Every structure is written in structure tokens, then in C-alpha cells.
Amino acid sequence: YQFLAQELKGARLVGPLVQQVAGITGYEFAGLGKNIWVVWAPDQIDHVINVPANAIQGYYKFGAPISPVGGQITVNAPVILELSP
């Protein structure tokens, strides 16, 4: 949770994300100069999601970068996506 706390420092909750893939849960936050999505699969099964075109960077739950962050990614454990506002 240390990485997530650092990522969300100064951000405010916008609200839950509209479910784009069955089985995925997530929330959007407005940060300093970026929006942040935190998404995960409560059923603990891999789900493929489309990454928004305005994605800047993505991280796995412990802070390892997702590279490249574009196209599609597999989500199970929490994933953090930074988006340009």
C-alpha cells in the first residue's frame, strides 16, 4: 500500500469507474496534473482491458512499471494507470 499511498498523495476521489469489462472494479482519482485509475479483479481471474489512449504510465501493485502502457493489459491484482487530464 506504500506505493499506492504515494501515488494518491494529494489526489481526490472522483468516483467509481464505469465497468468496461465484466469482473473489473476500479476507482478514478484526480491528482496533481493527472488522473489516476486503480483497477483490479475481485474474482482474482485475469481480465484483459483496453488502456485509455490518454494513458501516460501504468504500474503493478508494488510499483513496477507496465511497459509499454498502451493497447491492452491483463488485470488481476491491482493496477494503477496514470492518465493525462
Side-chain angles (χ1 to χ4, degrees):
Y1 293 101
Q2 183 177 0
F3 177 74
L4 182 58
Q6 174 187 333
E7 189 71 11
L8 295 178
K9 186 175 183 175
R12 66 174 175 74
L13 176 64
V14 173
L17 290 171
V18 174
Q19 191 173 34
Q20 61 170 262
V21 175
I24 295 292
T25 298
Y27 290 89
E28 181 173 10
F29 298 85
L32 303 172
K34 62 186 173 188
N35 289 347
I36 302 162
W37 285 11
V38 180
V39 296
W40 67 95
D43 60 9
Q44 300 180 342
I45 297 172
D46 289 348
H47 297 275
V48 176
I49 66 167
N50 294 317
V51 175
N54 63 334
I56 302 166
Q57 183 57 276
Y59 300 97
Y60 295 106
K61 66 180 178 180
F62 295 122
I66 296 171
S67 183
V69 64
Q72 296 181 325
I73 59 172
T74 300
V75 174
N76 181 329
V79 169
I80 297 100
L81 294 173
E82 294 179 355
L83 310 164
S84 59

XYZ file of all heavy atoms in Angstrom:
645
model
N 0.813 -1.203 0.000
C 0.000 0.000 0.000
C 0.854 1.265 0.000
O 0.342 2.341 -0.244
C -0.948 0.003 1.196
C -1.994 -1.080 1.083
C -1.882 -2.267 1.783
C -3.069 -0.926 0.236
C -2.829 -3.263 1.672
C -4.025 -1.914 0.108
C -3.898 -3.072 0.829
O -4.844 -4.047 0.699
N 2.133 1.107 0.290
C 3.017 2.267 0.323
C 3.078 2.949 -1.048
O 2.979 4.171 -1.135
C 4.413 1.860 0.775
C 5.367 3.014 0.898
C 6.723 2.572 1.408
O 6.960 1.401 1.675
N 7.638 3.508 1.536
N 3.224 2.168 -2.112
C 3.282 2.764 -3.451
C 1.974 3.455 -3.788
O 1.963 4.579 -4.290
C 3.614 1.712 -4.514
C 3.597 2.286 -5.903
C 4.626 3.100 -6.342
C 2.533 2.047 -6.749
C 4.603 3.660 -7.609
C 2.499 2.601 -8.021
C 3.542 3.407 -8.450
N 0.843 2.799 -3.513
C -0.459 3.389 -3.820
C -0.676 4.672 -3.026
O -1.158 5.669 -3.555
C -1.586 2.395 -3.547
C -2.990 2.876 -3.884
C -3.113 3.264 -5.351
C -4.010 1.810 -3.530
N -0.293 4.677 -1.750
C -0.437 5.883 -0.933
C 0.388 7.031 -1.510
O -0.066 8.171 -1.558
C -0.017 5.597 0.503
N 1.591 6.732 -1.977
C 2.444 7.742 -2.594
C 1.818 8.253 -3.888
O 1.794 9.451 -4.154
C 3.812 7.142 -2.889
C 4.747 8.048 -3.650
C 6.023 7.317 -4.054
O 6.450 6.371 -3.413
N 6.623 7.760 -5.140
N 1.283 7.343 -4.681
C 0.679 7.712 -5.962
C -0.560 8.596 -5.769
O -0.807 9.504 -6.554
C 0.308 6.432 -6.722
C -0.120 6.645 -8.131
C 0.993 7.065 -9.079
O 2.192 7.010 -8.736
O 0.651 7.486 -10.185
N -1.320 8.343 -4.717
C -2.573 9.072 -4.496
C -2.422 10.297 -3.592
O -3.407 10.986 -3.337
C -3.630 8.129 -3.914
C -4.074 6.993 -4.830
C -5.079 6.101 -4.113
C -4.644 7.524 -6.129
N -1.212 10.565 -3.139
C -0.985 11.703 -2.251
C -1.451 12.995 -2.925
O -1.051 13.320 -4.037
C 0.493 11.816 -1.888
C 0.770 12.887 -0.863
C 2.216 12.884 -0.452
C 2.426 13.923 0.632
N 3.802 13.861 1.140
N -2.343 13.705 -2.283
C -2.871 14.955 -2.798
C -4.001 14.796 -3.801
O -4.543 15.780 -4.277
N -4.348 13.566 -4.132
C -5.422 13.317 -5.098
C -6.762 13.266 -4.374
O -6.834 12.997 -3.175
C -5.182 12.010 -5.837
N -7.835 13.505 -5.141
C -9.175 13.383 -4.562
C -9.951 12.334 -5.345
O -9.740 12.164 -6.551
C -9.904 14.721 -4.567
C -10.220 15.249 -5.939
C -11.083 16.517 -5.905
N -11.256 17.058 -7.219
C -12.040 16.549 -8.165
N -12.752 15.476 -7.921
N -12.126 17.107 -9.361
N -10.840 11.669 -4.676
C -11.661 10.646 -5.304
C -12.663 11.292 -6.256
O -13.404 12.186 -5.863
C -12.404 9.834 -4.241
C -13.384 8.777 -4.748
C -12.661 7.682 -5.518
C -14.172 8.182 -3.589
N -12.685 10.842 -7.503
C -13.680 11.281 -8.469
C -14.892 10.365 -8.358
O -16.024 10.811 -8.330
C -13.118 11.262 -9.909
C -14.201 11.565 -10.932
C -11.965 12.247 -10.032
N -14.647 9.050 -8.274
C -15.728 8.088 -8.114
C -15.395 6.753 -8.745
O -14.318 6.562 -9.300
N -16.348 5.832 -8.677
C -16.113 4.516 -9.274
C -16.072 4.617 -10.796
O -16.732 5.464 -11.393
C -17.301 3.679 -8.808
C -18.333 4.651 -8.374
C -17.632 5.926 -8.014
N -15.252 3.759 -11.398
C -15.189 3.699 -12.852
C -16.384 2.929 -13.377
O -16.827 1.971 -12.763
C -13.910 2.992 -13.309
C -12.615 3.752 -13.066
C -11.426 2.847 -13.361
C -12.553 4.984 -13.945
N -16.875 3.352 -14.515
C -17.924 2.602 -15.187
C -17.280 1.303 -15.669
O -16.221 1.328 -16.287
C -18.505 3.400 -16.372
C -19.492 2.561 -17.152
C -19.135 4.685 -15.886
N -17.901 0.204 -15.337
C -17.310 -1.096 -15.641
C -17.194 -1.303 -17.149
O -18.179 -1.371 -17.864
C -18.164 -2.198 -15.020
C -17.526 -3.543 -15.051
C -18.358 -4.550 -14.276
O -19.576 -4.472 -14.249
N -17.692 -5.479 -13.639
N -15.962 -1.379 -17.647
C -15.736 -1.587 -19.068
C -15.556 -3.060 -19.399
O -15.729 -3.471 -20.532
C -14.548 -0.776 -19.581
C -13.233 -1.113 -18.928
C -12.055 -0.463 -19.615
O -11.384 -1.086 -20.411
N -11.788 0.801 -19.307
N -15.214 -3.857 -18.406
C -15.030 -5.302 -18.576
C -15.683 -5.988 -17.395
O -15.468 -5.596 -16.247
C -13.528 -5.662 -18.636
C -13.326 -7.159 -18.696
C -12.849 -4.980 -19.800
N -16.477 -7.018 -17.661
C -17.102 -7.773 -16.575
C -16.014 -8.324 -15.661
O -14.996 -8.831 -16.128
C -17.947 -8.904 -17.141
N -16.206 -8.177 -14.358
C -15.253 -8.707 -13.385
C -14.206 -7.723 -12.926
O -13.389 -8.043 -12.076
N -14.195 -6.511 -13.474
C -13.214 -5.496 -13.092
C -13.885 -4.427 -12.239
O -14.980 -3.980 -12.539
C -12.594 -4.829 -14.337
C -11.777 -5.827 -15.141
C -11.746 -3.622 -13.981
C -10.522 -6.306 -14.446
N -13.207 -4.039 -11.181
C -13.658 -2.958 -10.314
C -12.578 -1.887 -10.314
O -11.392 -2.211 -10.422
C -13.873 -3.464 -8.877
O -14.888 -4.461 -8.898
C -14.290 -2.350 -7.939
N -12.959 -0.630 -10.190
C -11.952 0.409 -10.156
C -12.499 1.751 -9.721
O -13.714 1.960 -9.671
N -11.578 2.638 -9.401
C -11.912 3.989 -8.980
C -11.004 4.974 -9.698
O -9.861 4.657 -10.011
C -11.757 4.148 -7.465
C -12.811 3.402 -6.712
C -12.626 2.072 -6.340
C -14.024 4.005 -6.404
C -13.612 1.365 -5.671
C -15.012 3.306 -5.735
C -14.798 1.998 -5.374
O -15.784 1.306 -4.726
N -11.536 6.170 -9.920
C -10.759 7.235 -10.541
C -10.486 8.320 -9.510
O -11.367 8.673 -8.709
C -11.506 7.843 -11.723
C -10.727 8.937 -12.425
C -11.387 9.434 -13.696
O -12.548 9.072 -13.961
O -10.730 10.199 -14.419
N -9.268 8.834 -9.547
C -8.841 9.915 -8.669
C -8.289 11.043 -9.527
O -7.727 10.799 -10.592
C -7.734 9.428 -7.724
C -8.169 8.308 -6.814
C -8.124 6.991 -7.243
C -8.627 8.574 -5.539
C -8.523 5.950 -6.419
C -9.033 7.542 -4.700
C -8.984 6.228 -5.142
N -8.456 12.268 -9.082
C -7.868 13.433 -9.738
C -6.664 13.857 -8.922
O -6.798 14.190 -7.743
C -8.874 14.572 -9.843
N -5.490 13.777 -9.534
C -4.257 14.125 -8.842
C -3.708 15.442 -9.335
O -4.388 16.207 -10.020
N -2.466 15.674 -9.019
C -1.805 16.902 -9.415
C -1.332 16.759 -10.858
O -0.312 16.150 -11.138
C -0.623 17.188 -8.479
C -0.987 17.281 -6.994
C 0.262 17.374 -6.138
C -1.895 18.470 -6.744
N -2.107 17.305 -11.798
C -1.744 17.265 -13.203
C -1.999 15.941 -13.899
O -1.536 15.730 -15.011
N -2.703 15.037 -13.241
C -3.006 13.744 -13.848
C -4.233 13.138 -13.182
O -4.601 13.513 -12.071
C -1.830 12.780 -13.708
C -1.481 12.464 -12.248
C -0.230 11.622 -12.132
C 0.172 11.487 -10.671
N 1.455 10.840 -10.515
N -4.870 12.229 -13.898
C -5.923 11.413 -13.304
C -5.326 10.041 -13.056
O -4.386 9.627 -13.741
C -7.135 11.317 -14.226
C -7.890 12.628 -14.307
O -7.659 13.531 -13.513
N -8.772 12.741 -15.258
N -5.854 9.339 -12.088
C -5.318 8.038 -11.708
C -6.453 7.041 -11.632
O -7.473 7.310 -10.973
C -4.599 8.120 -10.338
C -3.470 9.158 -10.405
C -4.075 6.746 -9.918
C -2.989 9.633 -9.055
N -6.294 5.930 -12.311
C -7.233 4.815 -12.193
C -6.572 3.720 -11.386
O -5.407 3.385 -11.621
C -7.575 4.244 -13.553
C -8.501 5.044 -14.396
C -8.933 6.327 -14.186
C -9.102 4.613 -15.618
N -9.761 6.713 -15.202
C -9.884 5.681 -16.098
C -9.050 3.431 -16.349
C -10.613 5.589 -17.281
C -9.771 3.347 -17.523
C -10.553 4.421 -17.974
N -7.308 3.172 -10.452
C -6.879 1.980 -9.723
C -7.909 0.910 -10.051
O -9.092 1.086 -9.760
C -6.813 2.226 -8.196
C -6.353 0.972 -7.475
C -5.888 3.407 -7.883
N -7.477 -0.161 -10.711
C -8.384 -1.219 -11.142
C -7.867 -2.581 -10.698
O -6.661 -2.788 -10.582
C -8.583 -1.213 -12.680
C -9.261 0.061 -13.140
C -7.279 -1.396 -13.416
N -8.801 -3.504 -10.433
C -8.442 -4.861 -10.037
C -9.611 -5.788 -10.331
O -10.709 -5.349 -10.640
C -8.046 -4.917 -8.568
C -9.171 -4.631 -7.626
C -9.971 -5.542 -7.008
C -9.636 -3.346 -7.185
N -10.904 -4.907 -6.218
C -10.723 -3.554 -6.311
C -9.238 -2.040 -7.459
C -11.413 -2.505 -5.713
C -9.932 -1.000 -6.858
C -10.999 -1.252 -5.990
N -9.335 -7.088 -10.207
C -10.342 -8.115 -10.460
C -10.691 -8.795 -9.140
O -9.912 -9.605 -8.639
C -9.820 -9.142 -11.462
N -11.847 -8.462 -8.542
C -12.222 -9.083 -7.276
C -12.347 -10.609 -7.352
O -12.160 -11.291 -6.352
C -13.581 -8.454 -6.942
C -13.642 -7.207 -7.733
C -12.816 -7.453 -8.959
N -12.625 -11.125 -8.546
C -12.750 -12.578 -8.678
C -11.394 -13.266 -8.813
O -11.308 -14.478 -8.908
C -13.650 -12.943 -9.864
C -13.133 -12.437 -11.201
O -11.983 -11.932 -11.277
O -13.890 -12.543 -12.193
N -10.306 -12.490 -8.822
C -8.933 -12.979 -8.895
C -8.667 -13.817 -10.145
O -7.840 -14.722 -10.139
C -8.555 -13.736 -7.622
C -8.654 -12.866 -6.392
C -8.290 -13.584 -5.116
O -8.267 -14.801 -5.056
N -7.996 -12.819 -4.094
N -9.371 -13.485 -11.221
C -9.167 -14.121 -12.516
C -8.624 -13.048 -13.454
O -9.019 -11.885 -13.379
C -10.493 -14.693 -13.060
C -11.008 -15.788 -12.129
C -10.324 -15.218 -14.477
C -12.407 -16.285 -12.484
N -7.701 -13.422 -14.341
C -7.152 -12.465 -15.306
C -8.234 -11.959 -16.247
O -9.021 -12.742 -16.776
C -6.051 -13.113 -16.145
C -4.789 -13.381 -15.347
O -4.677 -12.875 -14.211
O -3.908 -14.089 -15.875
N -8.272 -10.633 -16.437
C -9.184 -9.974 -17.373
C -8.362 -9.018 -18.227
O -7.499 -8.317 -17.707
C -10.265 -9.178 -16.635
C -11.157 -10.012 -15.789
N -12.263 -10.654 -16.285
C -11.095 -10.326 -14.472
C -12.858 -11.316 -15.302
N -12.162 -11.134 -14.198
N -8.629 -8.976 -19.501
C -7.932 -8.069 -20.407
C -8.778 -6.809 -20.570
O -9.976 -6.898 -20.843
C -7.675 -8.729 -21.777
C -7.030 -7.741 -22.740
C -6.802 -9.963 -21.603
N -8.131 -5.645 -20.364
C -8.829 -4.373 -20.538
C -8.099 -3.529 -21.574
O -6.898 -3.698 -21.794
C -8.968 -3.579 -19.222
C -7.608 -3.129 -18.695
C -9.728 -4.375 -18.175
C -7.695 -2.092 -17.585
N -8.834 -2.641 -22.206
C -8.249 -1.665 -23.122
C -7.734 -0.484 -22.310
O -8.453 0.070 -21.479
C -9.292 -1.179 -24.131
C -9.731 -2.278 -25.058
O -8.918 -3.059 -25.545
N -11.020 -2.352 -25.306
N -6.496 -0.113 -22.553
C -5.904 1.034 -21.869
C -6.355 2.298 -22.590
O -6.277 2.370 -23.823
C -4.361 0.929 -21.878
C -3.727 2.165 -21.269
C -3.917 -0.329 -21.136
N -6.844 3.304 -21.852
C -7.271 4.552 -22.497
C -6.127 5.186 -23.289
O -4.958 5.081 -22.909
C -7.676 5.447 -21.325
C -7.952 4.514 -20.196
C -7.042 3.341 -20.402
N -6.477 5.852 -24.371
C -5.480 6.475 -25.248
C -4.666 7.548 -24.531
O -3.527 7.829 -24.916
C -6.171 7.069 -26.470
N -5.224 8.150 -23.479
C -4.512 9.208 -22.763
C -3.673 8.689 -21.601
O -3.241 9.463 -20.743
C -5.485 10.292 -22.285
C -6.513 9.780 -21.298
O -6.848 8.590 -21.288
N -7.026 10.671 -20.478
N -3.403 7.382 -21.572
C -2.569 6.807 -20.506
C -1.126 7.289 -20.658
O -0.572 7.297 -21.751
C -2.623 5.290 -20.547
N -0.555 7.713 -19.546
C 0.824 8.196 -19.514
C 1.748 7.077 -19.049
O 2.808 6.842 -19.615
C 0.963 9.392 -18.549
C 0.047 10.518 -18.960
C 2.405 9.844 -18.451
C -0.119 11.587 -17.898
N 1.344 6.400 -17.985
C 2.159 5.363 -17.361
C 1.247 4.404 -16.629
O 0.146 4.771 -16.234
C 3.170 5.984 -16.395
C 4.127 5.024 -15.736
C 4.957 4.194 -16.703
O 4.514 3.160 -17.192
N 6.146 4.649 -16.992
N 1.721 3.201 -16.418
C 0.992 2.211 -15.655
C 1.940 1.508 -14.705
O 3.145 1.412 -14.961
N 1.393 1.029 -13.599
C 2.200 0.352 -12.589
C 1.442 -0.849 -12.045
O 0.220 -0.819 -11.897
C 2.505 1.290 -11.408
C 3.263 2.521 -11.799
C 2.591 3.713 -12.043
C 4.642 2.506 -11.921
C 3.283 4.858 -12.407
C 5.338 3.649 -12.279
C 4.657 4.817 -12.518
O 5.330 5.942 -12.874
N 2.201 -1.900 -11.716
C 1.635 -3.017 -10.976
C 1.557 -2.616 -9.510
O 2.096 -1.586 -9.105
C 2.486 -4.265 -11.170
C 2.481 -4.748 -12.602
C 3.590 -4.566 -13.421
C 1.354 -5.359 -13.145
C 3.588 -4.993 -14.737
C 1.337 -5.784 -14.467
C 2.456 -5.601 -15.255
O 2.440 -6.016 -16.558
N 0.913 -3.430 -8.691
C 0.584 -3.031 -7.322
C 1.769 -2.623 -6.453
O 1.621 -1.817 -5.552
C -0.223 -4.122 -6.627
C 0.524 -5.410 -6.395
C -0.366 -6.412 -5.700
C 0.339 -7.723 -5.499
N -0.519 -8.684 -4.825
N 2.963 -3.139 -6.721
C 4.113 -2.779 -5.894
C 4.977 -1.692 -6.520
O 6.046 -1.375 -6.028
C 4.967 -4.009 -5.584
C 4.253 -5.031 -4.746
C 4.089 -6.326 -5.201
C 3.727 -4.698 -3.503
C 3.427 -7.279 -4.442
C 3.062 -5.639 -2.736
C 2.909 -6.922 -3.208
N 4.517 -1.125 -7.654
C 5.228 -0.012 -8.263
C 6.067 -0.357 -9.472
O 6.666 0.531 -10.070
N 6.144 -1.628 -9.860
C 6.885 -1.986 -11.073
C 6.140 -1.419 -12.280
O 4.927 -1.573 -12.383
C 7.021 -3.503 -11.190
N 6.849 -0.754 -13.187
C 6.177 -0.139 -14.329
C 5.644 -1.169 -15.319
O 6.230 -2.234 -15.499
C 7.258 0.721 -14.979
C 8.547 0.198 -14.475
C 8.283 -0.468 -13.174
N 4.531 -0.818 -15.924
C 3.968 -1.600 -17.022
C 4.520 -0.980 -18.289
O 4.350 0.218 -18.519
C 2.427 -1.529 -17.028
C 1.865 -2.156 -15.761
C 1.872 -2.203 -18.280
C 0.377 -1.943 -15.589
N 5.190 -1.761 -19.089
C 5.810 -1.217 -20.279
C 5.593 -2.142 -21.455
O 5.872 -3.326 -21.351
C 7.305 -1.042 -20.030
O 7.926 -0.452 -21.131
N 5.105 -1.627 -22.555
C 4.561 -0.282 -22.712
C 3.155 -0.213 -22.139
O 2.512 -1.250 -21.986
C 4.533 -0.092 -24.223
C 4.300 -1.463 -24.748
C 5.007 -2.392 -23.795
N 2.713 0.975 -21.820
C 1.352 1.144 -21.320
C 0.495 1.627 -22.481
O 0.432 2.784 -22.789
C 1.274 2.076 -20.095
C 1.703 3.480 -20.440
C -0.106 2.064 -19.504
N -0.117 0.711 -23.141
C -0.964 1.035 -24.275
C -1.623 -0.218 -24.783
O -1.255 -1.326 -24.408
N -2.604 -0.041 -25.609
C -3.301 -1.201 -26.160
C -4.138 -1.897 -25.119
O -5.111 -1.344 -24.619
N -3.717 -3.090 -24.745
C -4.437 -3.871 -23.746
C -3.480 -4.380 -22.676
O -2.298 -4.614 -22.955
C -5.132 -5.072 -24.396
C -6.203 -4.682 -25.397
C -6.877 -5.895 -25.996
O -6.258 -6.921 -26.220
N -8.176 -5.774 -26.245
N -3.999 -4.524 -21.467
C -3.222 -5.123 -20.377
C -4.108 -6.127 -19.656
O -5.327 -6.048 -19.708
C -2.684 -4.075 -19.376
C -3.825 -3.265 -18.748
C -1.657 -3.175 -20.034
C -3.376 -2.356 -17.617
N -3.458 -7.048 -18.985
C -4.169 -8.035 -18.184
C -4.227 -7.542 -16.748
O -3.207 -7.137 -16.180
C -3.460 -9.404 -18.247
O -3.428 -9.816 -19.608
C -4.197 -10.437 -17.422
N -5.419 -7.569 -16.186
C -5.628 -7.114 -14.809
C -6.129 -8.281 -13.974
O -7.015 -9.016 -14.385
C -6.664 -5.963 -14.766
C -6.998 -5.585 -13.340
C -6.160 -4.763 -15.537
N -5.535 -8.432 -12.812
C -5.977 -9.374 -11.788
C -5.767 -8.656 -10.468
O -6.692 -8.120 -9.905
C -5.174 -10.675 -11.873
C -5.618 -11.692 -10.855
O -6.068 -11.363 -9.777
N -5.501 -12.963 -11.207
N -4.520 -8.593 -10.021
C -4.161 -7.797 -8.846
C -4.242 -6.317 -9.228
O -4.293 -5.989 -10.414
C -2.752 -8.168 -8.398
N -4.250 -5.419 -8.261
C -4.391 -4.007 -8.570
C -3.367 -3.483 -9.568
O -2.193 -3.834 -9.525
C -4.220 -3.328 -7.214
C -4.658 -4.354 -6.233
C -4.199 -5.667 -6.809
N -3.852 -2.639 -10.476
C -3.045 -1.941 -11.465
C -3.373 -0.459 -11.335
O -4.530 -0.084 -11.154
C -3.375 -2.434 -12.892
C -2.751 -1.564 -13.948
C -2.945 -3.884 -13.072
N -2.353 0.372 -11.402
C -2.521 1.817 -11.308
C -2.179 2.414 -12.678
O -1.092 2.153 -13.210
C -1.596 2.432 -10.225
C -1.975 1.870 -8.843
C -1.700 3.944 -10.209
C -1.090 0.790 -8.368
N -3.096 3.194 -13.230
C -2.864 3.851 -14.513
C -2.901 5.361 -14.313
O -3.843 5.895 -13.723
C -3.941 3.469 -15.528
C -3.977 2.007 -15.961
C -5.200 1.750 -16.837
C -2.700 1.641 -16.710
N -1.843 6.036 -14.771
C -1.819 7.496 -14.770
C -2.299 7.966 -16.133
O -1.816 7.490 -17.165
C -0.399 8.005 -14.525
C 0.147 7.690 -13.158
C 1.569 8.188 -12.972
O 2.179 8.698 -13.944
O 2.071 8.072 -11.851
N -3.232 8.919 -16.130
C -3.824 9.433 -17.367
C -3.666 10.942 -17.413
O -3.775 11.623 -16.386
C -5.308 9.079 -17.417
C -5.657 7.621 -17.135
C -7.139 7.478 -16.834
C -5.285 6.756 -18.309
N -3.444 11.466 -18.612
C -3.445 12.928 -18.735
C -4.879 13.403 -18.573
O -5.807 12.731 -19.019
C -2.855 13.371 -20.075
O -3.575 12.829 -21.147
N -5.055 14.544 -17.885
C -6.427 15.014 -17.612
C -7.175 15.453 -18.846
O -6.649 15.683 -19.868
C -6.222 16.180 -16.651
C -4.792 16.539 -16.711
C -4.053 15.402 -17.346
